[in-house]
Amino acid sequence: MSRPVRRLLGVPVCAAAAALLLAGCGGGSGGGDEERAAASKSAAPSARPMTLEALGKAVGCETAPKEAGKTLDFRQGVCASADADYVLLTFDTAQGQRDWLDTAQMYGGVYLVGNRWVLSADPRTAMDRARTELGGTIEESPYGTSPSAS
């Protein structure tokens, strides 16, 4: 597994903890909070996200994703195809997904974002191929990529 993907494994757990801490601190007067609430409500609550296993199959992972973490609102897994390493996440709620993305973006990175699922791949071109199969949008952090572990 490549270095960028290994570094990303720690981000979701840190991001989830930070999102949970920040969730109780925000005031209701900001336009961003209202926009996120409206976007969350517009998502069909009965629509189920893809499973980690379905995401892994869609991107061509050689084996079922190995679960790397489960929190109150999301599952995280890792897997590899012949040409890429993937970090896959599925979310119970659209708001949980948005909170995770907002926090994870502080650490840098590029994500393919779909209906209550997110993935990241190394190399990045694998996300472009996955987008063809899965749809979604590519979101890139304004802070660039994750810092090197070295």
Side-chain angles (χ1 to χ4, degrees), residues 25-129:
C25 299
S29 61
D33 291 339
E34 292 169 5
E35 290 171 9
R36 285 190 199 128
S40 178
K41 288 179 184 175
S42 69
S46 62
R48 294 189 47 91
M50 293 182 75
T51 63
L52 290 179
E53 295 75 19
L55 280 171
K57 186 175 181 179
V59 297
C61 287
E62 296 167 348
T63 61
K66 178 179 177 184
E67 191 164 327
K70 169 74 174 119
T71 69
L72 294 176
D73 194 42
F74 70 87
R75 285 178 65 206
Q76 175 184 336
V78 294
C79 66
S81 69
D83 57 349
D85 293 324
Y86 293 92
V87 176
L88 313 166
L89 297 108
T90 59
F91 296 86
D92 295 336
T93 66
Q95 183 63 47
Q97 177 184 18
R98 188 74 256 158
D99 290 345
W100 184 92
L101 281 164
D102 289 347
T103 304
Q105 300 251 336
M106 291 187 292
Y107 296 95
V110 181
Y111 310 98
L112 177 60
V113 180
N115 178 25
R116 294 171 31 205
W117 57 263
V118 172
L119 69 81
S120 187
D122 184 36
R124 182 176 189 246
T125 55
M127 281 189 286
D128 295 324
R129 288 190 302 274

Side-chain angles (χ1 to χ4, degrees), residues 10 13-14 23 76 83-84 122 134 145:
V13 175
C14 294
Q76 175 184 336
D83 57 349
D122 184 36
L134 298 167
T145 58

